[in-house]
Amino acid sequence: MHTTGHIEALTREGSALLTAAEEAGWDAEVPSCPAWRIRDLVLHTGCVHRWAADYVAEGHAEARPIGSASMPDGEVAGWFRSGYRTLVERLEAADDTLACWSFLEGSPSPRAFWARRQAHETAVHRVDAELAAGRTPGPVAPEFATDGIDELLTGFHTRPFSPVRSDTPRTLLVSTTDAPSAHWTLHLSSAAPRVERRETGAYDCRMRGPAAHLYLALWNRLPLDGVASVDGDTSVAALWQEASAIRQRTKRHAPTG
């Protein structure tokens, strides 16, 4: 996907997240983020949007902490809306010469990185809000879902502190079944996973399904059972589900860094 597409997705997902959050109510529990209520989810995501917007606008060269926020419930929606719109405006105004800190390898530019990361951050939390509202998660376009799977597998889980490890070497194949079809082969060991964007042959376990379903299952927002087929050694799939959840302050959610 191009940066423009990510910015458009961020705009849609921010609006959809807020709609679902207001439907659920600020005190609603978020089943996919234990110990969080909708208020926590929206405040967290809004702080992440402001954190990202500051990198884009001010060009900070080093990592900075994500802030926190607290306010009366009646102010949360307007505060959140202002934050994601500011992020969108700053991404639209920036160009590909932007220089600032980012944290995943392989992005063509920091602007492209922040647009992609915030689009997927917001999309996953939009699903959290919909689950809190008792809804079936809304659709995720196959191209966007495939892009998000790629970011998760080749970006987050190839970093040295990925928690997905196996004392015995294992190979996990992840394949989408819709257009565009895509494959990722994960080589699991006592080190961080090594990932190839192709089907390499023999595997111990394969997860296979529509991109949108895999996207949410790999982010632990939907159970694998029922949304994807799992062939081979199912203990490898179980290892992924148990180890891949990225936690911050003991809360399970889509990562920000």
Side-chain angles (χ1 to χ4, degrees):
M1 288 182 65
H2 295 296
T3 299
T4 300
H6 287 128
I7 296 172
E8 291 172 351
L10 170 60
T11 303
R12 291 192 304 271
E13 296 293 345
S15 177
L17 189 161
L18 185 55
T19 297
E22 291 183 305
E23 178 184 331
W26 302 117
D27 284 324
E29 295 182 353
V30 184
S32 47
C33 299
W36 270 7
R37 296 185 181 272
I38 277 290
R39 179 186 303 104
D40 304 310
L41 177 75
V42 175
L43 290 174
H44 163 76
T45 311
C47 285
V48 172
H49 288 162
R50 285 163 168 77
W51 176 69
D54 284 348
Y55 283 109
V56 175
E58 300 176 20
H60 300 305
E62 297 180 353
R64 295 188 167 207
I66 300 170
S68 60
S70 178
M71 65 194 71
D73 288 350
E75 298 176 11
V76 173
W79 173 87
F80 177 83
R81 186 180 295 108
S82 173
Y84 86 77
R85 287 179 175 173
T86 296
L87 173 58
V88 167
E89 290 168 2
R90 291 181 177 181
L91 286 166
E92 289 176 334
D95 60 39
D96 291 335
T97 65
L98 170 68
C100 67
W101 178 80
S102 60
F103 60 85
L104 295 182
E105 299 291 334
S107 294
S109 70
R111 176 179 181 251
F113 163 80
W114 284 110
R116 184 193 203 194
R117 176 81 291 275
Q118 292 308 300
H120 289 296
E121 174 86 5
T122 308
V124 171
H125 283 324
R126 180 263 291 175
V127 170
D128 290 329
E130 290 173 337
L131 293 171
R135 283 202 230 159
T136 299
V140 181
E143 182 184 16
F144 183 74
T146 299
D147 180 76
I149 295 169
D150 188 76
E151 185 203 43
L152 176 65
L153 299 184
T154 69
F156 280 102
H157 284 289
T158 57
R159 296 192 296 175
F161 45 87
S162 170
V164 180
R165 307 294 172 106
S166 174
D167 291 335
T168 303
R170 293 284 185 266
T171 300
L172 171 63
L173 175 63
V174 176
S175 299
T176 63
T177 55
D178 44 5
S181 61
H183 308 276
W184 298 265
T185 299
L186 285 71
H187 302 277
L188 308 181
S189 68
S190 58
R194 181 172 60 86
V195 182
E196 299 181 74
R197 290 185 177 99
R198 62 191 182 98
E199 186 173 358
T200 60
Y203 55 82
D204 294 295
C205 178
R206 179 179 64 176
M207 300 179 187
R208 185 172 180 269
H213 294 171
L214 282 174
Y215 177 60
L216 297 180
L218 289 167
W219 274 115
N220 292 303
R221 264 52 189 193
L222 291 179
L224 272 172
D225 183 24
V227 302
S229 65
V230 179
D231 307 324
D233 185 351
T234 58
S235 70
V236 180
L239 169 67
W240 172 271
Q241 289 185 292
E242 175 58 31
S244 67
I246 296 174
R247 295 172 173 86
Q248 182 174 334
R249 299 186 300 278
T250 74
K251 296 166 185 174
R252 187 171 178 167
H253 60 81
T256 52

